[in-house]
Every structure is written in structure tokens, then in C-alpha cells.
Amino acid sequence: MEQTSTQTGDQGLEKSVARLTPDQIAKTLGEILKSEGGARLKAYVKTCMSCGLCADACHFYLSHENDPRFSPAGKVKQTIAPLLKKKGAVDPEFIKRAALVAFTQCNLCKRCVMYCPFGVDVAWLMLFVRRLCSRLGVVPQYIQDTAHSHSVTKNQMWVKEDEWIDTVFWQEEEAAEEVPGLTIPLEREGADIMYSVIAPEPKFRAQLIYQAAVMFHAAGVSWTMPATPGWDNSDMAMYTGENEIMGRLKRAHFEAAMRLRVKRIVMGECGHALRSVHDMGNRWLGWKTPPVPVTHAIEFYWELLESGKIRVAKKLKTPVTLHDPCNVARGLGLHEKARDVMAALCEDFVEMHPNREYNICCGAGGGVINCGPPHKAERLAASSAKAKQLFDARTRGARTIIAPCHNCHGGLEDIVEHHHLGMDLKFLGDVIYECMEKPWKKDEEEQGR
């Protein structure tokens, strides 16, 4: 079951492993087991019967011709199981192989958990392996750089404070040209919601902030965004195992909302950020529930459409299919509300199979896409299972994939290009902006008569 040694081309793995000693590995594992392991870890490892029922749930296994090394149980047997059995008495090369498995061959999508008869959470076990590797300094360089960005700037993309504010003002100016009187309210205390996004939006997809501003203006939403660090809800430190940084990020995020005295946080279309804000970061801080209620964009869009605050002027005619992001479908059960939104916006909806909580992972979550170019080939090698699912939807007419998650967009774009599927991608916000009723347009038409 054990994988052979390989040169990864990833300096974050190669150089750090060269500095490791067996004593350091055993000592670090002992420290983590004492403070963070507990009964849950032992129960999961001892309960796994290697029955193989989880295997067909994993896109890595399916895309590698059913190679047992890529099954969820196989990943356990290559990493945490021997670590515990040998009490950390392993060599540095073992840690490098374990890091490759945990960081680049598992998206932490939790699809396997749904098929395990005992409920073994392999994603949690792989996160534990990542935690050990992080403490040892053995982390893929690209995702480690992102975690460093979080640590220094409290956002994923090294966006400086003035750059964030300038981008918001820029999008406000652009949107105000379309919608007279529109503002993007920074630092407005007492608003109903604080809207938070992930750092790739101001860095690469600023139009999504523009679109959100137009939607909220049309719906009459009382909203604000913070001008200070805490505006970014993303969290790659969660995926590198640097829980201390994760805790700092979530504290900054919630403290921004509490300082602005908002009633709730509404998050943009991102899956991993939801996992961090709604499930992991708050728990690391010792909060049983978040101190400010959290709503994902899918649920908020559903509210706006259901209440009639946003009206649909026309439906999208292009045949579309919906990708269910792992963290919003399996993680929070928003798959039905996503379909309600789709029904309100789209004339021709082609369902993927399987779908909802059984949907196949896009291969970009869990920080795997953030491990960067050295591991892109491995990620695409695990994409054939998802490509078959997309190809099936395409043969039934779908030409556009709607994916309400940033990382999913990145992963699906790579899959579409690699497998020559000829499909394009949209966010739900893209479709709402395109299809919504825009009262100011009617006013302009009436003034022009």
C-alpha cells in the first residue's frame, strides 16, 4: 500500500523534509496526540475495517482505475494508521509521502463519509495528518505562501488595506454609472448585514462586488462591508493545519461584524470559507455557535427571490447544469435552495447525476488547487470522474455550468479545458444580475420617450 519515494518539485516539501529528524517527528506527534488527538482519532482509525465501501465515493480512486492506494481507506493506511502504530517512529521520507497524500490526493470533500457504514470521517483524519505536517514544516509551498498572506494581512491575496478600499470605491463608481444613487456602504454601523467576500474578488473578480451591490440596491437591503481587515472570509490556514492562524482570521471576521453591530453576516459564493466561518474556525475559538449568525449567498439569494425583493425580468435561455459545491451541499444542505434559485432563473435546467449531497467533487477544494503548479498534473489526473459527469450533462444539452463557489470555478475551468468539454461557467450572482428586474432601466426608458 505504501507509495514509493518521488521528487515532487515542491520546495516546501523537499527542503523541509531534508531538515527533519526521526526524533523530531516522534516528539511532535506525541505533543499533538496529547493535546488534540483524543478518542475521536483512535476511534476512527480503529473502526476502519478496510471494507472498501468508501472507495467508489472518491474521485481520486475512480479516476485512477480503482487503484486501492487512492481509496479513502488506502489513504488512512498510508498515513495516520502507521504513524499511530509506530508511535511516530518513521523517517522523513514517510512524512513527505504522507504530506503528498493528505495535501494533494484528498480534497477533504467528505463524500466518502456518506458511504462508510461506521461514519469514519477520513477528511478529519487527513486534516490531522496535515496538522502534523504543518507543525513539522512540511507543507506545499504555494498553499503555505497563502497561509502566510493570511497571517500577515488577514486576507488570502496579500491585498493591502488601502488596495481593498480603493477596489470597493472603484466598483462603487462603476456601479453608480449604471444605477444612479448606488453606494457600497463601508463601515456603516447598525446595518442588517455585513457582506463578506474572499480575497480573489477584489484581486481578480471585482465585478462580483459590483453585481452584489446592484442586487442589494435593487432589493433595498441594509448592508455594509468593513474597511478594516476582517472583510476576507477565506481561510487556507484551515487547510494547512495552522489552526492558530485560522482562529485569528475568524476572530477578526466576527469582531468586524460585532463592531459594526450588524444582525448577521452574509457570505459571498464560496464553499471553503463557509466551512471555516460556520464550522471550524468558530469551534477552534471555543464558540459552540458563531457570535453573529452566518448566511451563505445561496440562502440569501433564495430569501431575496422568495420574498419578491428581487424580481426576475427574464429567464436564462441557455441550457445549464448545477455543480453542488461540497461544503455548501454536504456541509450545510443548501442544495434544494440552490435548485429553487435555479428554477426561478433558468428555462432549461439539466440535472447532473449524481447530484445534491452525492455530487462528485470538482477536485479543487480542500486547498488542493492552492498547492499550485507542482501538483496540477496530479489534480487533473484525478479529474476524469468529474469530467464524465459533466460530459453526461453536456450530451443532454447543458452548455453552462453554474457553480456557486470560487475554488470550484477554478477546478471546473481546468477540467473543461483539459477534457475539451466546451462548457462555460457562471456564478449564481452572474445569472441573477443578468436576469433580474432593474427598475432604473424602466425609468431611463420612460425619460427617453
Side-chain angles (χ1 to χ4, degrees):
M1 184 68 71
E2 196 172 273
Q3 293 184 337
T4 57
S5 175
T6 58
Q7 289 297 313
T8 64
D10 189 320
Q11 295 305 303
L13 300 181
E14 301 296 342
K15 289 187 176 181
S16 56
V17 165
R19 296 191 294 265
L20 276 184
T21 65
D23 287 346
Q24 184 182 0
I25 296 168
K27 179 182 177 182
T28 304
L29 177 63
E31 291 172 352
I32 298 176
L33 287 175
K34 184 177 180 180
S35 60
E36 301 175 30
R40 184 180 183 183
L41 175 64
K42 294 178 181 178
Y44 281 156
V45 174
K46 290 183 178 180
T47 301
C48 178
M49 305 298 291
S50 299
C51 64
L53 292 177
C54 62
D56 285 335
C58 181
H59 59 280
F60 282 93
Y61 173 81
L62 295 173
S63 299
H64 285 90
E65 299 180 345
N66 298 356
D67 185 334
R69 292 178 301 168
F70 292 94
S71 69
K75 294 167 193 174
V76 172
K77 300 302 181 187
Q78 293 173 81
T79 58
I80 190 64
L83 273 167
L84 293 178
K85 183 177 181 180
K86 298 178 182 180
K87 298 181 180 180
V90 298
D91 60 22
E93 189 64 32
F94 177 93
I95 294 298
K96 183 173 80 172
R97 291 195 301 270
L100 278 172
V101 171
F103 279 104
T104 72
Q105 297 173 12
C106 177
N107 287 106
L108 313 177
C109 74
K110 295 199 174 190
R111 192 169 189 256
C112 57
V113 182
M114 301 185 63
Y115 293 86
C116 176
F118 305 106
V120 174
D121 190 342
V122 174
W124 187 88
L125 291 173
M126 291 302 105
L127 274 172
F128 191 89
V129 176
R130 290 187 185 193
R131 174 70 167 159
L132 170 64
C133 291
S134 174
R135 291 280 297 271
L136 293 170
V138 184
V139 178
Q141 185 167 339
Y142 277 78
I143 193 170
Q144 184 63 71
D145 181 64
T146 308
H148 286 162
S149 175
H150 278 305
S151 180
V152 175
T153 66
K154 291 190 173 70
N155 73 76
Q156 184 184 149
M157 305 299 298
W158 298 93
V159 177
K160 297 177 182 177
E161 289 188 45
D162 59 335
E163 292 174 340
W164 160 247
I165 295 170
D166 286 347
T167 300
V168 173
F169 284 165
W170 165 43
Q171 290 309 298
E172 180 182 72
E173 290 172 3
E174 293 281 321
E177 290 183 9
E178 176 188 352
V179 188
L182 180 147
T183 63
I184 298 180
L186 283 175
E187 295 291 313
R188 177 179 293 173
E189 291 188 16
D192 287 344
I193 71 167
M194 183 183 89
Y195 184 59
S196 66
V197 299
I198 72 170
E201 290 200 18
K203 196 78 171 182
F204 303 118
R205 299 183 187 268
Q207 80 279 2
L208 296 176
I209 299 174
Y210 175 118
Q211 291 173 358
V214 172
M215 282 188 278
F216 296 167
H217 181 86
V221 173
S222 169
W223 69 296
T224 190
M225 300 181 87
T228 58
W231 56 264
D232 177 15
N233 55 35
S234 66
D235 190 354
M236 282 301 127
M238 171 180 68
Y239 285 146
T240 60
E242 293 174 275
N243 297 339
E244 295 81 4
I245 297 176
M246 174 181 69
R248 286 177 53 218
L249 294 174
K250 296 315 106 176
R251 183 177 293 279
H253 190 62
F254 283 116
E255 285 182 347
M258 290 187 283
R259 176 176 58 78
L260 292 172
R261 298 186 294 108
V262 297
K263 295 178 182 177
R264 60 172 166 163
I265 297 169
V266 171
M267 307 177 62
E269 295 179 55
C270 182
H272 94 266
L274 175 70
R275 187 177 192 160
S276 174
V277 174
H278 190 268
D279 183 50
M280 290 185 65
N282 58 296
R283 297 179 194 280
W284 176 258
L285 289 167
W287 297 331
K288 184 177 180 181
T289 57
V292 180
V294 176
T295 302
H296 189 267
I298 291 174
E299 190 168 11
F300 194 60
Y301 296 158
W302 181 88
E303 290 178 16
L304 296 179
L305 290 164
E306 186 76 7
S307 64
K309 291 181 178 179
I310 285 184
R311 299 181 183 275
V312 177
K314 60 179 181 179
K315 288 196 173 186
L316 191 68
K317 296 186 181 297
T318 305
V320 301
T321 189
L322 174 67
H323 168 76
D324 292 288
C326 301
N327 288 308
V328 300
R330 279 187 285 280
L332 198 60
L334 294 180
H335 36 77
E336 295 303 337
K337 285 186 176 177
R339 279 160 180 76
D340 289 344
V341 173
M342 294 285 289
L345 299 171
C346 305
E347 281 190 0
D348 191 351
F349 173 50
V350 180
E351 188 72 84
M352 276 195 215
H353 297 292
N355 53 62
R356 296 172 169 83
E357 67 267 38
Y358 297 100
N359 187 37
I360 296 173
C361 178
C362 70
V368 174
I369 195 172
N370 300 85
C371 291
H375 307 284
K376 184 176 181 179
E378 176 67 33
R379 178 164 56 84
L380 287 174
S383 68
S384 61
K386 186 66 184 181
K388 289 177 182 177
Q389 187 188 30
L390 293 170
F391 181 75
D392 172 67
R394 189 182 185 282
T395 59
R396 291 182 286 115
R399 290 297 179 269
T400 295
I401 308 163
I402 296 179
C405 174
H406 279 267
N407 277 359
C408 293
H409 265 251
L412 292 167
E413 284 170 354
D414 287 341
I415 292 172
V416 167
E417 179 182 1
H418 184 72
H419 294 276
H420 310 290
L421 295 175
M423 305 171 80
D424 63 353
L425 284 110
K426 291 182 182 290
F427 290 92
L428 276 174
D430 292 328
V431 184
I432 294 174
Y433 174 79
E434 183 178 341
C435 297
M436 65 184 284
E437 187 177 282
K438 298 174 180 174
W440 54 92
K441 294 290 186 183
K442 292 182 180 178
D443 293 341
E444 290 174 1
E445 291 171 2
E446 289 175 0
Q447 290 174 8
R449 286 177 186 154

